[in-house]
Amino acid sequence: MADDRMMLLDETYVFGESAAMLARARDVIPGGVGSNDRGLVDPHPLFMSHGAGSRMWDVDGNEYIDYLLGYGPLVLGHAHPAITEAVGRQLRNGSVFGIPVALEMEVAEMLVDLFPSIEMVRFCQSGTEAVLAAMRLARAATGRRLIVKFEGQYHGWLDQVAISYAPTTEQAGDPAHPATVPGSDGQSPGAYEDFIIAQWNNAEHLEQLFAERGDEIAAVLTEPIMCNFGIIEPVSGYLNRLRELCDRAGAALIFDEVQTGFRIGLHGAQARYGVTPDLTCLGKALSGGFPVSAVGGRREIMDLITDRRVFHAGTYAGNPLCLAAVPAVVSELSRPGVYEQMEALSMRLRTGLSELIAPLGGYVQGTSTIFGTGFGPGPGASMRDLWHNDPEKVFDLKRELRIRGVFTKPTPRDIWYVSTVHDDVDVDETLRRAEQAVAALA
Ligand code: PMP
């Protein structure tokens, strides 16, 4: 594979075809893009033509080393042969039945084997849906309504959860009692009135909250590593404390591992930090690039679905075409040394990038195969620490990298993902490009 890759050219890219397509698409698709963040690509949204391994190509023929990886799913890179073979075989055998297939049971057994918290599991299509299912289960199991959600964390775009994921200093309110900030016009306040917004990574803050309202709380919903407002690890003991507080109050602990599942290890962040939630949401890397998500957890909670007390459904729930990718992903990620190799590459990238952007006031924060850049006083422990960062500088860095063939997430809330198919050639080339980008910005 390495032999097919071109050395990226030294000129910065031009995007004539993409610009023409964007003008046409804007007439029929709002913003010309299918998901809001894609509109943030600077100098303007780009159109891709194909991908292979760690690379992708736009419609102008520009080649990119891809660290966006479809916003996380492509843990095996683009068009991995094990996935295309498995999904191709399923496609020829039928893509949807609306009744069970053996594959659904087999993938469920895999997840039960891999994730400490999962005794039973149901499949959905998006991370958002898995989160909604988990919250419904937690409310049904506890007979309570309130869900604790942390500011700066993202759990999807629907009315119930698209709140306080990136509030500004003016919006976020008193740190002791953060405001609930809807993310969109048109959201029904009724959908999110049963949420309490809390600061993440601050055990005393949560202790206070539980002291005040513990017996009303159905669940604490958290990303075990904060991935959507900087990549921030939990401080030592924090997740254990969440577990204790939930246990004491009779509330459920939900880990949203849509980002971390399969990305930071085969057994999730829950194994890494040794904290077992009651319910786990998976998505993104689970399928290596297909719309599959999962909600799993303790048998007695999941059995609320068995008993038909909790409703979960979907025309495409447990869709075999998408599920066919999962065993291929699990098999590839189970090869000895795979995570060590990805993490070593990620570390080389992080170290190299840190050195390059430090003179511009930049730093890199992250862990395992996921990290982000920031420009400001330094890595923080929560969303409010990162308010003092300069988002424009992240934006500028990303643009300068992109026009030199390195593609990363377009938002200032930065994420870079590394896959099993990135290698030292990619990292060398990325750092060479980053050096040029930094020189252009200096
Ligand atoms: N949870 C987390 C932690 C996420 O990062 C995301 C998506 N970025 C979601 C849930 C929602 O997933 P989806 O976009 O598949 O609905």
Side-chain angles (χ1 to χ4, degrees), residues 35 37 71-73 125-131 153-158 161 221-228 256-260 281-284 291-293 409 415 417:
S35 182
D37 276 5
Y71 279 75
Q125 280 81 66
S126 65
T128 308
E129 253 189 298
V131 170
Q153 297 205 350
Y154 180 76
H155 301 287
W157 70 280
L158 293 181
V161 279
L221 169 65
T222 188
E223 295 180 70
I225 297 174
M226 182 149 152
C227 294
N228 285 292
D256 176 351
E257 294 227 41
V258 168
Q259 289 277 3
T260 51
C281 306
L282 298 170
K284 295 201 190 263
V292 180
S293 65
K409 197 179 172 213
I415 307 182
Y417 302 99

Side-chain angles (χ1 to χ4, degrees), residues 199-270:
Q199 281 182 59
W200 194 67
N201 237 355
N202 180 339
E204 293 79 49
H205 174 70
L206 217 67
E207 280 156 12
Q208 184 63 37
L209 187 62
F210 268 87
E212 287 166 14
R213 307 193 67 177
D215 57 357
E216 296 172 67
I217 295 172
V220 172
L221 169 65
T222 188
E223 295 180 70
I225 297 174
M226 182 149 152
C227 294
N228 285 292
F229 206 106
I231 309 296
I232 306 179
E233 283 198 87
V235 295
S236 174
Y238 179 67
L239 297 178
N240 303 75
R241 192 74 190 114
L242 289 191
R243 182 67 275 179
E244 286 163 13
L245 287 168
C246 286
D247 284 344
R248 198 180 305 155
L253 180 60
I254 304 172
F255 275 5
D256 176 351
E257 294 227 41
V258 168
Q259 289 277 3
T260 51
F262 291 105
R263 179 144 284 292
I264 68 146
L266 258 183
H267 312 285
Q270 52 199 266

Side-chain angles (χ1 to χ4, degrees), residues 66-249:
D66 185 7
Y67 298 103
L68 176 65
L69 296 179
Y71 279 75
L74 299 175
V75 67
L76 308 186
H78 291 270
H80 191 283
I83 293 185
T84 50
E85 204 277 320
V87 175
R89 192 173 350 109
Q90 182 60 48
L91 183 57
R92 288 187 292 277
N93 285 331
S95 60
V96 65
F97 298 98
I99 44 180
V101 291
L103 180 63
E104 190 173 0
M105 172 184 70
E106 288 157 11
V107 173
E109 286 169 351
M110 280 180 189
L111 297 186
V112 168
D113 280 348
L114 290 171
F115 282 79
S117 68
I118 298 184
E119 293 176 337
M120 296 180 100
V121 63
R122 272 277 176 101
F123 297 102
C124 336
Q125 280 81 66
S126 65
T128 308
E129 253 189 298
V131 170
L132 296 187
M135 295 193 306
R136 181 177 286 180
L137 281 161
R139 284 175 167 143
T142 57
R144 302 173 182 173
R145 294 202 328 231
L146 281 186
I147 306 268
V148 177
K149 190 236 168 243
F150 295 100
E151 56 185 8
Q153 297 205 350
Y154 180 76
H155 301 287
W157 70 280
L158 293 181
D159 279 13
Q160 295 92 325
V161 279
I163 46 177
S164 297
Y165 55 85
T168 62
T169 31
E170 295 77 40
Q171 295 171 322
D174 175 7
H177 295 99
T180 301
V181 182
S184 170
D185 283 4
Q187 261 174 284
S188 166
Y192 52 78
E193 69 187 4
D194 290 331
F195 283 79
I196 312 179
I197 304 299
Q199 281 182 59
W200 194 67
N201 237 355
N202 180 339
E204 293 79 49
H205 174 70
L206 217 67
E207 280 156 12
Q208 184 63 37
L209 187 62
F210 268 87
E212 287 166 14
R213 307 193 67 177
D215 57 357
E216 296 172 67
I217 295 172
V220 172
L221 169 65
T222 188
E223 295 180 70
I225 297 174
M226 182 149 152
C227 294
N228 285 292
F229 206 106
I231 309 296
I232 306 179
E233 283 198 87
V235 295
S236 174
Y238 179 67
L239 297 178
N240 303 75
R241 192 74 190 114
L242 289 191
R243 182 67 275 179
E244 286 163 13
L245 287 168
C246 286
D247 284 344
R248 198 180 305 155

